[in-house]
Every structure is written in structure tokens, then in C-alpha cells.
Amino acid sequence: MTATATRVLVLNSGSSSVKYQLLDMRDGARLAAGLVERIGEGTSRLAHTPLATGGEKRETEGAMADHEAALKAVAAELAADGLGLDSPQLAAIGHRVVHGGLEFTEPTVIDDAVLEEIERLVPLAPLHNPANITGIRTARALRPDLPQVAVFDTAFHTTMPEHAARYAIDVATADRHRIRRYGFHGTSHAYVSRKTAALLGKDPSEVNVIVLHLGNGASASAVAGGRCVDTSMGLTPLEGLVMGTRSGDIDPAVTFHLKRVAGMSEDEVDELLNKKSGLIGLCGDNDMREIRRRIDAGGEDGERARLAFDVYIHRLKKYLGAYSAVLGRVDAVAFTAGVGENAAPLREAAIAGLEEMGMAVDADLNDRRSDEPRLISPEYARVAVAVVPTDEELEIAQQTYALVSA
Ligand code: AMP
């Protein structure tokens, strides 16, 4: 890496999409950002925003047969802005990798052995790791000489104590099949818990934080002194909070019941719990804005939306209680991601009635809109309640740059 190499390209490769951002690590400035969708589906779409020049978003449509074609198209867009992948200023590419198992506790420079290890983890994340691997292979082929770093969604949670990570099932079976709580959204939980400490003017080692990452997927974590001690997602991202389309916590016997009594197949149950449950299962909508609109409109339809909202809030409160007990002392609760950052009524409802736990929300502060981390609790509250916008791309870029510039 040359002394002038200060840029990091962050790639988040999904099964039919690639999200990317190019950042300058001198100040964290975003130089370009974009998204390729519908890769391999006839008409693919690339939306590229050249942030460095303040240019307009450029959208192109065309057939991109695979990730290689998609990344080449991204490279061409970047090159058109003088930010091509061949630039000596590019220090590294950082890849989001969903599952790192117990093997990867830190961001890791990718070589053949690391790639093989990530492949070995595919059975634990069959929907995600294969796409991440394809993104890595393609990027390595385009720039074989450039350091590429894997940043794992599970890594932040590997500090969980054994009693939090273990399911109470037969130990030999669990170990043979690597069944345990891994947790996800780790990059976000790491970033937000650190930012929350900074908002309080403290070092992360000094504070205990409950992070509520509430997006379409949702997870809670208990972070003690900067280390994760528990998190709500488990072997897969299905466990825990109510989500847009996922059930979260459920009696596992429901799955046997659906198979035995409703005659559903394994795949049908999988689809029901992952795609047709959560908010969408409860009321037909997974967008919190639409749910609020229906509640406000009232009537029978509003009642249905209200039930979905109430189930969501009830689950959140249960986790706030559980993680308060796990942490012993809570200094802050941080709301983040699409719902957590934007849905003020939801934050108010989640914290309502928790005064005895030291938690309260100030209505005016809660309603104020801002992109900055901010407190929404009144001064008298023992626990700081905060809204802390997450930035997984920046966190991946920072972890990547720290590793390659060390
Ligand atoms: P994410 O997965 O973090 O991108 O979050 C996406 C979700 O955030 C959407 O499905 C919406 O439910 C929610 N969301 C986004 N904007 C708002 C808003 N202004 N008010 C309420 N919910 C929002």
C-alpha cells in the first residue's frame, strides 16, 4: 500500500444485489455510493451516485448475468468519476461477510485459506455466505494485488460468555452441528455502542449499553464495557425481536405442529417464519410508516395494525427487561436503523412505563429530527435513551483500513 492510498471500497454482496460505497479514510468522506439490483435476472439496474463531485445519481439498466458483470459495471462507473479500481489511492476492499462462525473474531485479510474457511461456514448461512463469497472472488479477480478484508456480522458477538451463547440442548449434538447463538448485525452493534459511549462523553469500557437495531431485520444486544455479552439473534437471524417479515422468538414446537397438524413441508415452515411472519404476518405490512398510518386512520384495519404494533413493542420491552437484568446496570439504551432512527412513536411506546427501570423519553426531544446521535431522555432519567444512526459501511471501511494500514 502506498502512503497516498487512503480510500476503501466497501462491498455488500447479496444473492442478486451489490451495495457499495467508496470512502476516503482521511476524514471518512463518501466519494461514491451505489447499488446494483436484479443481477442475473434479465434487466439489472445500477444506481450510482458520484458524491465526491456532487453529481446527479446515474441510473443504468441492462443485463448483468452475474456478479462479475455487476462489479465490472460498478468499476466502470467509478472510473468515469476518476475513482477507478486501478487507482493507486485505493488501499483495500472491505467485504461484509454475514457468518464468521467462531473462527473469525476480528476483521481478516482474505487469502485462499480464509476464503476456504468462509466456504466451510456456508451451511450456517446458506442464504448469505455464498453471495458474499461470490463478491470476494470477483473483486479478487479484478484486483488480485489489492488487500481485501472480510468484516463479519458475527464477530462482535464472539465475546458472549458461554452461558449466553449455549442453547440448553444436548451438548454433543450442539457441538457436532455447531449449533449455538452467533448473533448478527454485529458491525452495527459495535459502531452504535461505541458512538453511544462517545455521546455520553465516556470511553466504551466505562458504559453498559442496550443497543436496539430496528430495521427490517431487528436485533437487540447487551454490551458491557464495550463487549457484547448477549444478543437476540441466534444460530440464524430468525430469533429474537419481531421483525418486518420474521417471527423472532417462537416456541420451537410450533414448527413440529405445523408439520404434523397443518401438513406443511420444511421449506414451507421456513418461508412462513422468515418471510410471512413478523409485522407482515400480523397485519399485512412490514413498513412501520404504513402501520402508523393505518393505526391513525382507525377502524377495523387500524385495529389489526395496532395489534402488530403492540406485539412488536411487547417483545422489545421484554428484551429491555432481560438485558437490564443481564447487565445489572444500564447506562444507555440506543435506538438505531430504519425504524429505530425514524419512528418516534415506536420509541416512546417501547420506553413507556419503564420509569422504575430508570428509563424515560422526553416527548419534544423524541420528536426532533436529526441525522446526528442525540439523547431523547429527560435529564432526571437514570438511563440515557439515545437515537444513534448506524453506519455499517463506515465501520467496515474503518476496520478494513485499520487492518491494512497497521
Ligand atoms: P433498514 O432495514 O434499517 O433499512 O430499515 C427499513 C425499515 O425502516 C422500513 O421497513 C421501515 O419500516 C422503517 N422506516 C424507514 N423510515 C421510516 C420512518 N420515517 N418512519 C418509520 N419507519 C421507517
Side-chain angles (χ1 to χ4, degrees), residues 304-326:
R304 215 175 136 217
R306 161 64 67 188
L307 177 65
F309 185 82
D310 289 349
V311 173
Y312 189 101
I313 294 294
H314 183 70
R315 186 80 51 85
L316 263 183
K317 282 187 195 288
K318 289 215 281 196
Y319 272 91
L320 282 169
Y323 287 174
S324 294
V326 164

Side-chain angles (χ1 to χ4, degrees), residues 250-272:
I250 191 167
D251 179 348
V254 170
T255 60
F256 319 143
H257 188 81
L258 288 170
K259 283 196 246 175
R260 288 183 195 136
V261 178
M264 290 174 75
S265 70
E266 206 116 272
D267 286 348
E268 284 169 339
V269 175
D270 190 324
E271 162 124 352
L272 177 80

Side-chain angles (χ1 to χ4, degrees), residues 87-267:
S87 163
Q89 281 159 288
L90 188 60
I93 299 181
H95 296 266
R96 175 186 182 217
V97 179
V98 167
H99 218 305
L102 287 182
E103 287 79 357
F104 296 106
T105 59
E106 301 279 345
T108 306
V109 175
I110 300 165
D111 58 18
D112 291 344
V114 167
L115 200 51
E116 263 173 43
E117 201 58 43
I118 297 172
E119 273 174 342
R120 242 174 43 80
L121 294 164
V122 164
L124 290 174
L127 299 180
H128 295 103
N129 271 31
N132 302 155
I133 291 165
T134 305
I136 292 169
R137 281 196 195 292
T138 311
R140 284 180 96 201
L142 286 178
R143 276 297 307 269
D145 55 316
L146 193 69
Q148 315 238 351
V149 173
V151 178
F152 300 91
D153 253 25
T154 45
F156 183 62
H157 304 303
T158 55
T159 54
M160 261 186 295
E162 192 66 9
H163 57 253
R166 275 249 169 226
Y167 291 115
I169 62 170
D170 173 63
V171 168
T173 306
D175 288 351
R176 190 170 332 120
H177 300 290
R178 295 184 283 177
I179 297 168
R180 59 184 283 124
R181 176 180 311 288
Y182 291 100
F184 299 89
H185 292 145
T187 310
S188 177
H189 287 283
Y191 177 85
V192 170
S193 56
R194 246 191 7 255
K195 279 269 172 190
T196 306
L199 183 65
L200 302 182
K202 298 264 174 71
D203 189 79
S205 64
E206 299 173 294
V207 291
N208 291 347
V209 185
I210 299 175
V211 178
L212 301 173
H213 177 110
L214 311 177
N216 201 27
S219 62
S221 69
V223 183
R227 292 163 68 83
C228 175
V229 294
D230 205 352
T231 193
S232 60
M233 283 179 167
L235 173 74
T236 76
L238 181 56
E239 195 181 346
L241 301 174
V242 176
M243 312 184 207
T245 66
R246 290 175 229 155
S247 63
D249 293 339
I250 191 167
D251 179 348
V254 170
T255 60
F256 319 143
H257 188 81
L258 288 170
K259 283 196 246 175
R260 288 183 195 136
V261 178
M264 290 174 75
S265 70
E266 206 116 272
D267 286 348

